[in-house]
Amino acid sequence: MRRNKNTSLDTTVTNFILLGLSHPPNLRTLLFLVFFIIYILTQLGNLLILLTVWADPKLHARPMYILLGVLSFLDMWLSSVIVPRIILSFTPASKSISFGGCVAQLYFFHFLGSTQCFLYTLMAYDRYLAICQPLRYPLLMNGRLCTILVSGAWVAGSIHGSIQATLTFRLPYCGPNQVDYFFCDIPAVLRLTCADTTVNELVTFVDIGVVAASCFILILLSYANIVHAILKIRTADGRRRAFSTCGSHLTVVTVYYVPCIFIYLRPGSKSPLDGAVAVFYTVVTPLLNPLIYTLRNQEVKSALKRIAAGRGTVNENK
């Protein structure tokens, strides 16, 4: 059991101070520019994927690319929840965030993050059906079912975010209000409460652990079957194309799950690496996703070329 030392204080916290990332003062301008550029590139890259899937008839009719479009949409919002606050921390602007703002940031971060977790599982299931049951794929994964599954992922993510935000902010905050982190997240905020956090830490560990572990196990099972099916393909070109299709998703899943496990499945940890790891999956991963899917996916690259060629033709005819 752990209790904050400032239990004798009777003041109620109405705002928090986000201390941000530790950095040498002389690097403030450089870091501001780096995170600003990352944010802009993240938004543009994911917007490009989203528009490409929407504009190309060959893509938006296929569940695989519908899921990819939803992932890009989530990445844009997840980045917007976190990165602007980091950018502000490198300016003279106030680092204060209202109590309600902190609640909203924690809720949306866990809502969007858990929805991504469910979405990665759906993407693995989609690849499993496409490769292991190609003849039944149009029946088992059609546009209507894909929409229902994506809607279910959004609802489940919203419930998960609500549980985490409610449990975190039902506790009294009556002491220091400086969050030693760059955004309002569960471990950093719980250190400031003036009440026992044992139940919260246990529920957070179990809740996030169950969600992450169940999704990860389902993904592993899907890809175990996929690898088994790919190895049965007789031609080397066929195996290469199948592995290439799945390689993008496996790369994204790896860079998403490993940091999350490091942060949330070590109760009570105060490792100095937590901030750096959190920057990776909150800032860098949303930037990498469009790069991974465009550079490794031939169909997306072909769609981009078709769209560019179509616009070029239109401009020539004007």
Side-chain angles (χ1 to χ4, degrees):
M1 295 178 68
R2 181 180 63 80
R3 189 177 295 273
N4 193 288
K5 294 180 181 179
N6 295 278
T7 53
S8 61
L9 298 176
D10 57 3
T11 56
T12 301
V13 170
T14 58
N15 70 305
F16 293 96
I17 306 296
L18 297 175
L19 297 183
L21 297 167
S22 357
H23 62 280
N26 59 326
L27 293 181
R28 181 169 297 176
T29 302
L30 176 61
L31 290 172
F32 171 87
L33 291 174
V34 167
F35 280 95
F36 180 76
I37 291 171
I38 287 176
Y39 179 67
I40 296 300
L41 291 178
T42 299
Q43 297 302 306
L44 292 177
N46 283 290
L47 181 61
L48 180 62
I49 294 290
L50 195 59
L51 294 177
T52 301
V53 172
W54 176 78
D56 191 281
K58 292 185 178 180
L59 296 187
H60 69 234
R62 297 176 58 184
M64 173 183 176
Y65 294 103
I66 294 174
L67 296 173
L68 177 57
V70 175
L71 177 63
S72 294
F73 182 78
L74 286 170
D75 278 333
M76 291 174 68
W77 280 103
L78 183 62
S79 177
S80 296
V81 168
I82 304 298
V83 183
R85 274 284 167 183
I86 299 178
I87 295 172
L88 283 177
S89 70
F90 300 119
T91 69
S94 172
K95 295 177 175 60
S96 175
I97 182 172
S98 67
F99 190 91
C102 194
V103 174
Q105 189 180 51
L106 188 146
Y107 165 75
F108 280 108
F109 172 71
H110 284 275
F111 163 39
L112 296 169
S114 57
T115 302
Q116 271 195 339
C117 184
F118 298 130
L119 189 68
Y120 288 139
T121 308
L122 294 180
M123 294 173 79
Y125 178 64
D126 173 75
R127 292 300 84 211
Y128 160 75
L129 293 178
I131 293 174
C132 299
Q133 302 190 43
L135 298 180
R136 300 180 61 200
Y137 177 75
L139 178 64
L140 295 174
M141 180 61 82
N142 51 48
R144 181 173 177 273
L145 178 59
C146 183
T147 301
I148 293 173
L149 291 174
V150 169
S151 300
W154 281 93
V155 171
S158 179
I159 293 172
H160 174 80
S162 298
I163 290 172
Q164 294 301 330
T166 301
L167 285 175
T168 302
F169 292 101
R170 71 179 177 82
L171 299 173
Y173 291 87
C174 50
N177 66 341
Q178 293 186 335
V179 180
D180 190 14
Y181 215 50
F182 58 94
F183 73 102
C184 290
D185 198 14
I186 297 169
V189 173
L190 284 183
R191 294 183 196 127
L192 303 180
T193 183
C194 48
D196 179 57
T197 61
T198 303
V199 174
N200 287 70
E201 291 174 354
L202 178 62
V203 172
T204 298
F205 179 80
V206 172
D207 184 23
I208 295 178
V210 167
V211 170
S214 58
C215 289
F216 193 57
I217 290 171
L218 289 173
I219 291 172
L220 289 179
L221 289 174
S222 297
Y223 275 97
N225 284 283
I226 288 171
V227 170
H228 181 70
I230 290 176
L231 293 177
K232 291 182 178 180
I233 298 176
R234 295 182 179 180
T235 64
D237 183 62
R239 288 195 296 270
R240 181 188 59 79
R241 291 179 61 186
F243 274 121
S244 176
T245 301
C246 299
S248 301
H249 183 240
L250 280 175
T251 303
V252 168
V253 167
T254 301
V255 299
Y256 177 82
Y257 273 98
V258 172
C260 286
I261 291 171
F262 182 84
I263 294 291
Y264 295 105
L265 300 189
R266 298 175 305 129
S269 172
K270 296 182 181 180
S271 170
L273 290 175
D274 286 0
V277 173
V279 166
F280 187 81
Y281 76 88
T282 58
V283 179
V284 180
T285 300
L287 171 67
L288 292 179
N289 283 351
L291 293 176
I292 292 170
Y293 278 107
T294 53
L295 294 178
R296 294 182 58 90
N297 192 300
Q298 188 59 45
E299 290 181 300
V300 173
K301 289 190 287 186
S302 299
L304 286 170
K305 291 177 182 178
R306 286 195 298 270
I307 293 172
R311 289 181 178 178
T313 303
V314 171
N315 291 335
E316 289 175 2
N317 292 334
K318 286 184 178 180

